[in-house]
Amino acid sequence: MLPSRFFAAFHRSFSGFPQHNKHLSATSLRVGIARWRSDVTRFSRRPRVAGQLPRANSQRPAKAYQLGNARTQAALRRTFEDLCKEDDISPVSAYSALQNCGRQLVDASPQARIALADQFISTLRSKGVKLDVSHYNALLSVFIDNGHNFSPLEFLTRLQTEGIQPSTQTYQLVLKGFCQQGNLQGAIEILEHIKSLNISLSEPLLAPLVTCNAKSGDMEKARAVFQLIRENGLEPGLESYTALLCAHAERGDMDSVSQVLVEMQSGRVFPTHGAYVRVLESLSKNGHSHLIPQLLEKIRNKQWMGTDLQGLVDSFVASGDFDGALHVLRSLVRMPGSSHRPGQDFYRKLIRKDPAPSLDYLLKVGQQLKTENLHRLAYEDLLYSRFLNRDKDGALIVINEMLTAGIPVRQHYFYPVLASLAEQNDLNGACQVLKLMIDHEITLEVPHFQYVVRAFLGDDKNRANLAQSLLDAFARHDIALGREINSLAQVCCDTNRLDAAAEILTSTDKEMILPQRFLRSTARSGELREGIPVANSSSMKIFKLVAELPETFNTLPYYASQFLLRNTSRLTKSLSPALSCLEAFFSMGVRIEDPRVYSALLKECVFRREMHPFSTILNLMKTHDVPLFPHHHKLTVTMGALEGRSQMAQQAFSKFTESQAADWRVYSDLMVAYGKRKNLPALTRVYEAMLREGFRPSGPAFGYAIVAYLSVGDIQSADRLKEDMEKTYKIGYAVYTSYIEAYSRKGDVAGARKMFDEMIAAEYTPSPFAYQKLIAAHAFHGDHETVLKLMEEMRSADMAVDRQAWSLLIDSYVNSGDVDSAVARAEEAKEKEIKPLLISYIKLLNLAVTKRRADLVEKIASDMKNVMNMNESDLLHVRFFAHVRAGDLEEAEKILQEPNFVGKNRSFSVFANSCARQGETEKILAAMELLKDMDVKLKYRLFAIPLLIAYGKKNDTDGALALLERIKADGVEPTSRFLALLASVLEEAGQDVPYVIPKEDKTAADDTENQD
């Protein structure tokens, strides 16, 4: 079986889609780990005899041991590189590295071994390692073992040049080099030189002459070497017979090989494993691989040659003799209980060979291995290699071979093929693969469609109309999808193509639809985040389609809830689609009761401070009997605080406290709501309740409460809260500015200045608003010099001195009675293209009328008309009230006669209330006398209450009672409000009320609804 973990990783890296196929990396990986642990336990734990010392290499072997036993190029290079990192390389390690480049390096060709040895010797020289004769003997041995064509004499000359004395082994190896090349003359000269050195001749020294004569093609002389050996008092041994066997093997003469083996047995010379290996190598090198089975049949006890034969297999693969390697592989005997799989190792190395054999040859070898039970997963390994090489055509060929041979093909074998086709946007190829799977009854799953959809999305035409393109392509290739259509719909949902999913499902028989396949993906869609209307939403089309299926109706609310949660976030452009979606679900009959959905929606409304959708959600919940939980009530309190809706906040607070005790946050939000409404009795009640519960308000709650008290001029209560707030929180900027404003309204310059300085000490930078309120305090007393200084401070702080500041400057001159200077400042502002406030012009006009400065009155009136764009009627009203205030009733009556003067009830009411605050009863009475043509009921409705308030300001009870009699005399019935207010004036003065006080239609001061 192919490694499932490979397919899982491949699928994740190439598909770009989420993992949905759970079986890809579970069973196979667990089985593999279990086997690995079992093998480690069996072969690594050996019982130790008591008192026995641990082996020298039982921990981490020394570098020399590692170098001498490396069987692969990679292992040898890695160990040699680690060795070179050391400061001092020992001669033993250097020798082991060179000696390791011989036959034991089974995965390298002879040329590669020789190149590696040359590289090592150069590196050792550069590292300053002192090389002796043993190192050169090792290098010479590598040359001979690998059949390197070199000059033995030049090698000896090189040793002499470097001052190294050749050893007996050196001469023996040089002799082998001459003989290997068939240079008989050179071999004889070396033998003569050896004799001159008084080195006794031995059978190993003379045995290479057999090879030398054989190389020259004279086998009789080769056999005559045996007689030469006997003449020197020796007997031919293993070396001589091995050389003769190799010579016959090079010619492919198996009869002679057999005769030599019989002769050896009769002479009691038994071939060793190494001798057989050399003969087998001779057969392979000279193109006689087909004779290898004959020689292997003659070997007894092959089970003890396992390591040597395995090395031969690797060596033959490295040198390109694949048939020879296969012959040797068949002779390997697998020991019972061994986890070693020689067939698997051979085939994988054959596949990875560079250059690799043809695919046809690999298929043929794989079939042989599987048939002979040498490697039952040969096809899977070949398919795996095609995937790694991104050879989709080769992979399809292997898959077809597997299907033809009846080998099980799993679904994930097609992932890499489809991934490659998707990268190339090969639509036809992807459809052909699907057709192949359907024809062989292989189940189509989500990942298959993921790659197919990717292939279609690569084409602009298909991308525009994905669903129709897919269905048309399937029809062209005769692909009939059953319940697999649900997987296709899921893929479309995962790729954010819900429009395609909806169209595909709409065109499908409802009996084939399995909503659980794609509803989860639909619910994860963030389609509504982009502000798409619900009517155009593909997600809602899918939900509507599923809602018509009775077997899934009970599970639909869960996915609908997940969809709403997914589309309710701070990234959403608008909450309207989500609300419309919620209404649509209810209209489908899908009842959503998950409280998290409503919590998420309400939270977003609170975050955005959107009251309308918040109310819509609450109304939907009420209409459909969806229960509200405490956290919903808590959010309602918060929204009431943000919007200043204390009635809503109070009701939600009451509901919240029915199920659990309120914490300081809920109390604080309620305080903020009452603070914004300036409902001081309720605010005080909540604050005291908090203190009883041991809570302290939040910083904003303290701030709004203080601002509320200051807005009605109750500085004493505000100071008490401010003192309490300073124990926990830092006083905010808004509180300081509200204090300055409150003191400014009272004309308390000292208080306003004190708070202004405290604000600066608290490291707040005064804003233009703070400066304006401080200026207003000074302007109240006509201190225009200080006003000018403050305006200069604003300019120094790079603040714009706007119309508000200029208006206050004009007011300061008006309040000091300096009408000429006030007019001059208004002209200066006009030159700077700054329009003072209209109220400042009105005050200036009132002062000019009072001063009887007719010239200035006309000028100011002209400015009000031209600069302030006041219409004629409004200007006449202003002038009328100015003359009434100044007591110039004659001029006021003239204005009343002007044709453009149109009575405006609001203007009269504003004038009356303004006079009432100052206790100016005479001016109100004068206005009433002048308006003799006004309806008497309307006149008293406009002026009675303000006039009564003015009498109360002056504590004039007689005038108040006279007003009552006057109203009755004129045939007008006093209102209950007038009578109640008159009663309060009399009671404050300590007088009896001469009538029954009517009950006002009002609730207690802490009644939230009417207070709001």
Side-chain angles (χ1 to χ4, degrees):
M1 185 187 301
L2 283 173
S4 297
R5 61 185 180 276
F6 162 75
F7 289 102
F10 191 99
H11 176 60
R12 286 193 299 271
S13 60
F14 284 93
S15 66
F17 296 98
Q19 180 65 275
H20 295 290
N21 207 2
K22 296 182 179 178
H23 74 269
L24 293 181
S25 58
T27 305
S28 300
L29 192 56
R30 284 199 300 270
V31 171
I33 292 175
R35 288 178 178 173
W36 174 77
R37 287 176 175 168
S38 175
D39 293 342
V40 169
T41 303
R42 183 184 302 118
F43 295 109
S44 65
R45 295 183 179 176
R46 300 183 179 181
R48 260 181 64 187
V49 180
Q52 178 182 355
L53 294 174
R55 292 170 44 152
N57 59 351
S58 62
Q59 302 299 319
R60 186 169 183 240
K63 288 289 187 299
Y65 178 82
Q66 290 179 340
L67 285 168
N69 292 274
R71 294 178 61 82
T72 63
Q73 290 187 81
L76 181 58
R77 286 181 181 277
R78 184 169 56 251
T79 309
F80 185 75
E81 289 172 0
D82 292 343
L83 177 67
C84 292
K85 294 176 182 178
E86 298 178 359
D87 296 332
D88 186 17
I89 302 176
S90 67
V92 176
S93 298
Y95 171 79
S96 298
L98 293 170
Q99 182 266 340
N100 207 155
C101 296
R103 282 195 177 94
Q104 63 265 46
L105 210 60
V106 294
D107 71 332
S109 64
Q111 295 78 12
R113 296 172 188 168
I114 294 167
L116 194 61
D118 285 335
Q119 177 187 343
F120 283 1
I121 201 85
S122 300
T123 303
L124 291 171
R125 283 201 192 95
S126 64
K127 296 288 289 184
V129 178
K130 186 176 181 181
L131 302 177
D132 56 23
V133 68
S134 64
H135 300 101
Y136 285 99
N137 288 343
L139 180 61
L140 193 55
S141 178
V142 170
F143 288 169
I144 294 170
D145 285 347
N146 293 285
H148 183 41
N149 187 15
F150 71 103
S151 172
L153 288 178
E154 290 182 3
F155 194 88
L156 286 175
T157 305
R158 176 180 172 185
L159 290 179
Q160 293 175 357
T161 303
E162 296 185 9
I164 298 174
Q165 181 64 34
S167 64
T168 303
Q169 185 184 5
T170 308
Y171 289 118
Q172 183 177 351
L173 291 171
V174 170
L175 176 62
K176 281 186 178 181
F178 278 120
C179 293
Q180 195 177 64
Q181 298 171 8
N183 189 345
L184 183 60
Q185 182 180 355
I188 294 173
E189 290 178 359
I190 285 296
L191 279 174
E192 294 296 332
H193 183 66
I194 291 174
K195 288 181 181 179
S196 66
L197 296 175
N198 296 323
I199 298 175
S200 59
L201 298 177
S202 62
E203 189 263 346
L205 272 176
L206 298 175
L209 295 176
V210 177
T211 303
C212 185
N213 287 287
K215 288 286 185 182
S216 61
D218 192 345
M219 292 302 298
E220 291 184 1
K221 288 185 178 181
R223 168 64 78 169
V225 174
F226 280 63
Q227 183 61 34
L228 175 64
I229 293 173
R230 292 188 179 95
E231 289 176 359
N232 283 276
L234 303 170
E235 283 296 326
L238 182 60
E239 286 289 336
S240 303
Y241 280 109
T242 301
L244 186 60
L245 285 170
C246 291
H248 289 303
E250 287 180 4
R251 288 163 175 74
D253 188 356
M254 285 304 298
D255 294 335
S256 300
V257 170
S258 300
Q259 292 175 7
V260 173
L261 289 174
V262 172
E263 181 183 342
M264 290 176 67
Q265 190 164 0
S266 63
R268 304 190 64 79
V269 178
F270 303 104
T272 61
H273 297 171
Y276 281 123
V277 168
R278 288 174 59 186
V279 177
L280 289 168
E281 287 179 342
S282 297
L283 289 172
S284 174
K285 288 179 182 178
N286 292 277
H288 305 303
S289 299
H290 61 285
L291 299 176
I292 289 178
Q294 298 181 31
L295 179 60
L296 290 172
E297 289 177 0
K298 301 179 183 300
I299 301 176
R300 300 176 181 178
N301 299 325
K302 286 192 288 292
Q303 65 269 25
W304 307 116
M305 287 185 64
T307 303
D308 299 299
L309 293 178
Q310 182 63 57
L312 268 182
V313 172
D314 297 340
S315 179
F316 287 175
V317 171
S319 61
D321 185 9
F322 307 134
D323 292 335
L326 185 58
H327 291 316
V328 177
L329 176 68
R330 292 191 177 103
S331 68
L332 285 174
V333 179
R334 183 173 178 181
M335 301 299 291
S338 173
S339 62
H340 181 55
R341 298 178 178 82
Q344 173 181 291
D345 295 342
F346 158 72
Y347 198 57
R348 289 181 178 177
K349 289 175 181 176
L350 183 63
I351 291 171
R352 291 195 296 264
K353 184 74 172 68
D354 186 20
S358 66
L359 182 59
D360 292 338
Y361 181 79
L362 291 174
L363 284 169
K364 183 183 75 172
V365 173
Q367 182 181 12
Q368 293 176 4
L369 293 175
K370 187 172 183 64
T371 303
E372 297 173 19
N373 202 26
L374 291 174
H375 185 25
R376 63 185 182 88
L377 299 178
Y379 282 104
E380 285 82 348
D381 277 346
L382 181 56
L383 182 60
Y384 180 81
S385 70
R386 298 304 96 189
F387 292 156
L388 290 179
N389 295 331
R390 295 183 176 240
D391 181 9
K392 70 175 188 309
D393 296 329
L396 284 174
I397 292 174
V398 176
I399 289 175
N400 277 298
E401 287 291 330
M402 294 174 70
L403 293 171
T404 303
I407 299 173
V409 176
R410 296 181 63 182
Q411 293 95 327
H412 60 265
Y413 290 5
F414 293 89
Y415 293 168
V417 177
L418 289 170
S420 180
L421 292 169
E423 287 182 352
Q424 300 172 8
N425 298 328
D426 189 347
L427 312 181
N428 292 326
C431 291
Q432 290 171 5
V433 173
L434 293 187
K435 177 64 175 173
L436 177 66
M437 295 178 68
I438 292 175
D439 290 344
H440 290 84
E441 298 181 354
I442 299 173
T443 304
L444 298 179
E445 296 179 338
V446 170
H448 301 121
F449 289 111
Q450 288 176 346
Y451 295 119
V452 172
V453 170
R454 282 189 62 197
F456 275 80
L457 290 176
D459 190 335
D460 293 337
K461 296 181 180 178
N462 295 331
R463 190 184 299 114
N465 194 359
L466 178 61
Q468 193 60 45
S469 300
L470 285 169
L471 296 175
D472 291 345
F474 291 162
R476 285 197 306 272
H477 291 83
D478 195 21
I479 298 175
L481 297 178
R483 293 191 180 275
E484 295 89 350
I485 200 75
N486 297 281
S487 298
L488 178 59
Q490 178 182 341
V491 171
C492 293
C493 294
D494 289 339
T495 54
N496 202 24
R497 290 303 302 268
L498 281 86
D499 55 334
E503 187 174 347
I504 290 171
L505 292 171
T506 304
S507 63
T508 304
D509 187 357
K510 291 184 179 180
E511 295 180 357
M512 293 294 177
I513 296 178
L514 298 175
Q516 288 78 2
R517 288 285 190 89
F518 54 83
L519 270 182
R520 186 181 300 275
S521 300
T522 306
R524 286 198 296 263
S525 167
E527 190 178 24
L528 299 185
R529 290 183 180 181
E530 302 172 4
I532 298 175
V534 173
N536 300 331
S537 169
S538 300
S539 304
M540 294 306 297
K541 291 180 183 177
I542 296 174
F543 279 119
K544 187 175 181 180
L545 175 67
V546 175
E548 299 174 0
L549 304 176
E551 65 274 11
T552 58
F553 190 78
N554 292 331
T555 61
L556 190 57
Y558 168 76
Y559 293 109
S561 301
Q562 296 298 316
F563 177 71
L564 283 169
L565 287 172
R566 181 79 171 181
N567 285 276
T568 304
S569 71
R570 295 177 185 179
L571 299 177
T572 311
K573 296 180 180 178
S574 172
L575 284 175
S576 297
L579 294 181
S580 301
C581 182
L582 182 61
E583 293 172 346
F585 280 131
F586 279 122
S587 65
M588 294 179 199
V590 180
R591 182 176 173 82
I592 299 177
E593 295 186 347
D594 189 346
R596 296 176 302 168
V597 175
Y598 301 101
S599 297
L601 289 169
L602 293 174
K603 280 182 181 177
E604 281 305 305
C605 293
V606 170
F607 175 75
R608 300 164 186 264
R609 299 190 64 169
E610 295 183 9
M611 187 63 206
H612 176 68
F614 192 93
S615 301
T616 303
I617 295 168
L618 293 181
N619 290 333
L620 278 173
M621 296 177 73
K622 182 179 180 180
T623 303
H624 296 280
D625 297 326
V626 178
L628 273 76
F629 288 85
H631 51 273
H632 299 144
H633 296 305
K634 189 175 182 179
L635 288 169
T636 306
V637 175
T638 304
M639 177 56 81
L642 292 173
E643 295 296 315
R645 300 198 177 193
S646 57
Q647 178 185 357
M648 182 178 76
Q650 180 63 56
Q651 291 176 350
F653 179 85
S654 301
K655 292 289 185 180
F656 180 81
T657 53
E658 288 176 3
S659 57
Q660 63 186 72
D663 59 6
W664 66 273
R665 292 184 180 87
V666 182
Y667 274 114
S668 297
D669 286 342
L670 188 57
M671 279 188 66
V672 171
Y674 282 127
K676 288 187 176 181
R677 297 295 299 180
K678 308 297 188 295
N679 190 339
L680 301 182
L683 181 65
T684 304
R685 172 173 54 80
V686 176
Y687 176 60
E688 291 174 352
M690 287 189 71
L691 296 181
R692 285 195 301 270
E693 295 291 335
F695 297 138
R696 291 182 58 77
S698 64
F702 265 124
Y704 277 109
I706 293 172
V707 171
Y709 281 113
L710 292 173
S711 66
V712 297
D714 189 354
I715 297 178
Q716 185 176 1
S717 298
D719 286 339
R720 187 168 59 252
L721 281 177
K722 176 174 174 287
E723 182 180 354
D724 194 12
M725 181 181 180
E726 288 176 328
K727 297 176 182 177
T728 311
Y729 305 103
K730 181 180 178 181
I731 303 298
Y733 171 81
V735 173
Y736 282 117
T737 54
S738 297
Y739 260 109
I740 297 171
E741 185 178 12
Y743 281 120
S744 175
R745 284 198 302 266
K746 289 181 175 290
D748 188 347
V749 175
R753 189 72 208 190
K754 175 187 174 186
M755 283 299 162
F756 189 85
D757 294 338
E758 284 186 12
M759 181 173 63
I760 296 175
E763 298 182 352
Y764 290 116
T765 302
S767 67
F769 178 81
Y771 270 106
Q772 289 167 7
K773 295 306 173 184
L774 184 58
I775 289 173
H778 289 280
F780 183 85
H781 296 284
D783 186 4
H784 49 80
E785 294 181 357
T786 304
V787 172
L788 288 171
K789 290 180 181 178
L790 291 172
M791 290 174 65
E792 190 59 36
E793 285 184 21
M794 292 178 68
R795 293 190 184 95
S796 302
D798 293 331
M799 295 182 189
V801 180
D802 57 5
R803 59 186 302 204
Q804 179 75 29
W806 277 94
S807 298
L808 291 172
L809 177 61
I810 295 171
D811 291 348
S812 67
Y813 284 103
V814 170
N815 292 336
S816 66
D818 189 353
V819 65
D820 294 309
S821 298
V823 172
R825 290 299 180 183
E827 287 296 317
E828 184 180 351
K830 188 167 62 172
E831 292 174 359
K832 294 180 179 293
E833 298 183 354
I834 297 175
K835 291 183 180 181
L837 299 177
L838 179 59
I839 186 64
S840 297
Y841 272 107
I842 293 174
K843 291 178 181 179
L844 185 56
L845 182 65
N846 289 338
L847 179 61
V849 171
T850 303
K851 296 285 187 181
R852 300 292 193 273
R853 296 288 301 273
D855 56 333
L856 293 181
V857 170
E858 293 302 325
K859 177 176 175 24
I860 295 169
S862 177
D863 286 345
M864 293 175 70
K865 184 176 181 180
N866 299 323
V867 178
M868 305 305 296
N869 298 322
M870 180 176 281
N871 60 48
E872 186 67 26
S873 177
D874 291 340
L875 182 57
L876 289 174
H877 271 267
V878 172
R879 296 186 64 176
F880 169 76
F881 292 126
H883 286 285
V884 170
R885 286 178 181 278
D888 189 359
L889 301 182
E890 182 180 353
E891 187 64 28
E893 189 171 4
K894 289 180 181 179
I895 294 175
L896 281 176
Q897 304 304 320
E898 289 285 341
N900 291 328
F901 185 89
V902 179
K904 295 182 179 180
N905 296 339
R906 178 171 175 77
S907 299
F908 297 135
S909 179
V910 170
F911 168 76
N913 287 319
S914 175
C915 294
R917 285 193 292 270
Q918 306 299 326
E920 298 173 339
T921 56
E922 297 83 1
K923 295 178 181 179
I924 298 176
L925 290 170
M928 292 175 66
E929 291 297 328
L930 289 172
L931 298 170
K932 51 183 176 294
D933 295 334
M934 181 180 286
D935 180 73
V936 66
K937 290 185 179 181
L938 176 60
K939 185 186 300 184
Y940 284 121
R941 183 163 64 86
L942 294 175
F943 293 103
I945 295 294
L947 183 56
L948 184 58
I949 292 173
Y951 281 127
K953 288 280 185 181
K954 296 170 65 175
N955 201 21
D956 185 359
T957 56
D958 294 336
L961 290 171
L963 176 60
L964 175 61
E965 296 300 327
R966 179 177 176 180
I967 292 174
K968 291 179 179 179
D970 289 337
V972 179
E973 185 68 26
T975 63
S976 58
R977 182 184 177 194
F978 177 87
L979 294 174
L981 184 59
L982 176 59
S984 66
V985 171
L986 295 174
E987 287 175 350
E988 287 181 5
Q991 295 186 15
D992 295 332
V993 180
Y995 54 86
V996 179
I997 303 174
K999 293 182 179 180
E1000 282 193 276
D1001 185 16
K1002 64 178 182 178
T1003 58
D1006 59 349
D1007 189 324
T1008 305
E1009 181 175 357
N1010 289 315
Q1011 285 295 323
D1012 288 345

